[in-house]
Every structure is written in structure tokens, then in C-alpha cells.
Amino acid sequence: FAATLTVTDSIADTLAHARDGDTILVQGPTVFHGNLIITKSIHLLGTNAPVIDGDGSGKPVIIAASNIEVSGLVIRNSGHDLVAFDCGILVNAPQAKVHDCRIETDAFGIYLHGVSDCAVERNEIFGSKDIAAAKRGNGIHLWKTKRDRIVDNVVHDKRDGIYLSYTDDSVIAGNRVRDTR
């Protein structure tokens, strides 16, 4: 009984009306401002490169429920506070899948925080060449995770390309990393 909901004005408003299992279609090249916290098991799918712009504050996308898929989006302009884990996408729930996105941020790109069974595939993640590498976040950062798939991503101009801390039983393959520390 899953439905497909098309965003007409606000992604957050469309999310409010969604149910677990629904697909939310975001059509580009529209730019959406602000940050999203996804608390339902949905598929957030972008077509024609829609942009979620965090306007330099916090985390543009937070995945806070299991079984969420995010794809086809451009995510940019997160906050810059690495101590607060500012990032393009923060994954706080298991079984998330982030694929075919473009993450443009000087903080962390995609941060998997204490979760397992996630997939990060075919994304491009990069930061600004104008900021020292030590002040940028890592492209893909995994902390206390298990059984993840980090496959076929392109990471450049970040502090570290892919950073693993307390990460077990994961597949890390086919990624291309350049111009990092």
C-alpha cells in the first residue's frame, strides 16, 4: 500500500504526510533550503539533481529511522563544526542506503554513527580546495558500525577520504579517493 508523493513546495511538508514504505519524489533542478530529519522508513528519490542546501548550518539530512533510502540528490552547505559532527548526511539508524548523491560540504560528507547494515554507494563527495585539509571533515566517516557496504564512491578535497573507527565486517571496495590528507 505504499504511495509515491511528489514534492510540490516543501520536502519537510511532504515528509509529514508520508507513511513508512512511501516514496517521496523530489524533482530538480529546484533548490530546497533548510535541514531535514527523516523519521519514517521512506525512499527519498531525486530526479534531475534537486538540491538540499543547509545554508551553512548543521546537518542538511539526518537519517533517524531504519530502512531509509536517499538517492539522486545534491546536498550542500552543511555547518562547519566538526566537533558537533556537522555533515551533509548523518546516518543515525541502521539499514540506510545512500546512493547516487553529490555531497558538497567542507564538514564531514556522509557520517555513519553507531549503526549497522548500511550501504553508501556511487556518491561523489567533495570539499573546497580553499580550506586547509585539516579543517575539512572526512568524506565518508564510519564510527562503531558493522556490516556496511561502502562501494564505488568518489571522494576528493576532504581531510581523509574514508575514515573507519571501530568498524567491523564491512565491504569497502571500488572507491576512488584523491586530493586528501
Side-chain angles (χ1 to χ4, degrees):
F1 299 107
T4 298
L5 307 171
T6 301
V7 175
T8 56
D9 185 37
S10 161
I11 299 173
D13 288 348
T14 306
L15 276 170
H17 293 95
R19 290 194 238 176
D20 287 339
D22 285 354
T23 297
I24 296 178
L25 183 62
V26 185
Q27 297 174 328
T30 307
V31 177
F32 299 90
H33 293 272
N35 298 340
L36 296 174
I37 300 174
I38 306 172
T39 59
K40 298 173 184 173
S41 298
I42 54 96
H43 305 280
L44 183 63
L45 306 179
T47 62
N48 200 23
V51 175
I52 298 176
D53 191 318
D55 293 322
S57 175
K59 303 154 188 72
V61 177
I62 297 174
I63 294 176
S66 63
N67 296 308
I68 291 176
E69 176 185 8
V70 174
S71 73
L73 300 172
V74 175
I75 298 167
R76 66 180 184 207
N77 295 326
S78 72
H80 295 83
D81 188 346
L82 300 180
V83 175
F85 309 119
D86 282 351
C87 55
I89 299 176
L90 176 63
V91 180
N92 271 339
Q95 300 167 336
K97 183 173 184 181
V98 177
H99 63 95
D100 301 302
C101 290
R102 181 178 169 113
I103 316 281
E104 305 170 6
T105 180
D106 290 321
F108 297 101
I110 299 172
Y111 196 123
L112 278 65
H113 187 262
V115 297
S116 296
D117 303 306
C118 295
V120 176
E121 301 174 344
R122 299 179 311 278
N123 300 287
E124 181 180 11
I125 303 163
F126 62 94
S128 171
K129 294 179 182 185
D130 298 331
I131 295 175
K135 295 193 181 260
R136 300 179 212 150
N138 302 319
I140 300 170
H141 189 106
L142 283 73
W143 178 81
K144 206 173 179 182
T145 70
K146 292 181 183 177
R147 298 177 306 278
D148 299 307
R149 288 181 44 83
I150 312 301
V151 178
D152 294 331
N153 298 284
V154 175
V155 180
H156 57 91
D157 300 303
K158 300 301 290 173
R159 180 172 61 193
D160 294 328
I162 301 172
Y163 186 91
L164 310 172
S165 182
Y166 305 104
T167 298
D168 297 315
D169 300 321
S170 293
V171 174
I172 317 290
N175 299 287
R176 291 174 293 163
V177 177
R178 65 177 169 82
D179 298 321
T180 62
R181 163 174 91 160

